[in-house]
């Protein structure tokens, strides 16, 4: 499905940027003392809410972009689903990485660049997995039945 390749930079770029923003929010909180690494639940709860909202907004934007380029319906589903997952996972990892680095004695500032690389690799992996699931398996018929025939 060659059409997925046209959206790959958008997908991995969104993941890297979202993760980096989450990481910077946590790094700043650690630096000014508003975040305590011994109690990550509050931070993760806030970042989960942020991730859900941002995933939804970017998912809609990605879906609109796919529609503007006349991307077939099932490829649009694969792209949008990949984008939702990539951004959500990126924000969670971006928030957890500085906390984890601080706990093991590594400067949390390194997490902002690390999340970019991690999400580039993970973003491609998620896109391939979601595209295979949605496009190359019988899963599409379970979800959409006769709508796609």
């Amino acid at each position: 499905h060659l059409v997925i390749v046209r959206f790959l930079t958008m997908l991995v770029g969104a993941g890297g940027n979202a993760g980096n923003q989450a990481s910077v929010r946590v790094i700043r909180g650690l630096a000014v003392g508003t975040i305590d690494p011994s109690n990550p639940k509050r931070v993760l709860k806030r970042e989960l809410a942020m991730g859900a909202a941002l995933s939804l907004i970017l998912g809609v934007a990605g879906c609109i972009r796919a529609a503007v380029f006349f991307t077939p319906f099932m490829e649009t589903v694969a792209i949008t689903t990949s984008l939702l997952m990539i951004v959500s996972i990126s924000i969670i990892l971006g928030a957890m990485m500085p906390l984890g680095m601080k706990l093991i004695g590594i400067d949390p500032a390194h997490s902002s660049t690390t999340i970019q690389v991690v999400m580039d690799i993970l973003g491609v992996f998620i896109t391939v997995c979601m595209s295979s699931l949605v496009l190359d398996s019988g899963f599409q018929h379970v979800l959409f039945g006769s709508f796609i025939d």
Side-chain angles (χ1 to χ4, degrees):
H1 300 278
L2 194 55
V3 72
I4 301 297
V5 174
R6 287 191 237 155
F7 293 90
L8 200 53
T9 55
M10 174 192 75
L11 294 170
V12 297
N17 288 338
N20 192 27
Q21 289 173 6
S23 181
V24 167
R25 280 192 301 272
V26 173
I27 292 167
R28 182 186 179 283
L30 289 170
V32 298
T34 58
I35 293 176
D36 181 15
S38 65
N39 186 12
K41 287 182 183 179
R42 182 177 56 90
V43 174
L44 294 178
K45 187 176 177 181
R46 183 187 71 204
E47 292 302 324
L48 279 172
M50 183 70 69
L54 192 55
S55 293
L56 186 63
I57 292 166
L58 291 176
V60 169
C63 189
I64 291 170
R65 179 179 177 217
V68 166
F69 286 104
F70 302 107
T71 305
F73 177 72
M74 288 312 296
E75 281 84 350
T76 301
V77 170
I79 290 163
T80 304
T81 307
S82 296
L83 185 58
L84 290 169
M85 289 185 65
I86 289 168
V87 171
S88 297
I89 291 169
S90 179
I91 288 177
I92 293 166
L93 290 178
M96 289 174 49
M97 201 173 282
L99 295 172
M101 286 183 162
K102 179 139 177 104
L103 285 175
I104 62 173
I106 300 173
D107 184 3
H110 294 299
S111 64
S112 64
T113 53
T114 305
I115 191 68
Q116 294 275 350
V117 175
V118 168
M119 286 316 300
D120 283 351
I121 296 165
L122 197 54
V124 171
F125 179 75
I126 291 169
T127 302
V128 168
C129 289
M130 287 308 302
S131 296
S132 294
L133 180 67
V134 172
L135 302 172
D136 296 332
S137 71
F139 188 66
Q140 61 188 355
H141 294 290
V142 172
L143 284 179
F144 301 104
S146 62
F147 179 70
I148 59 172
D149 291 333

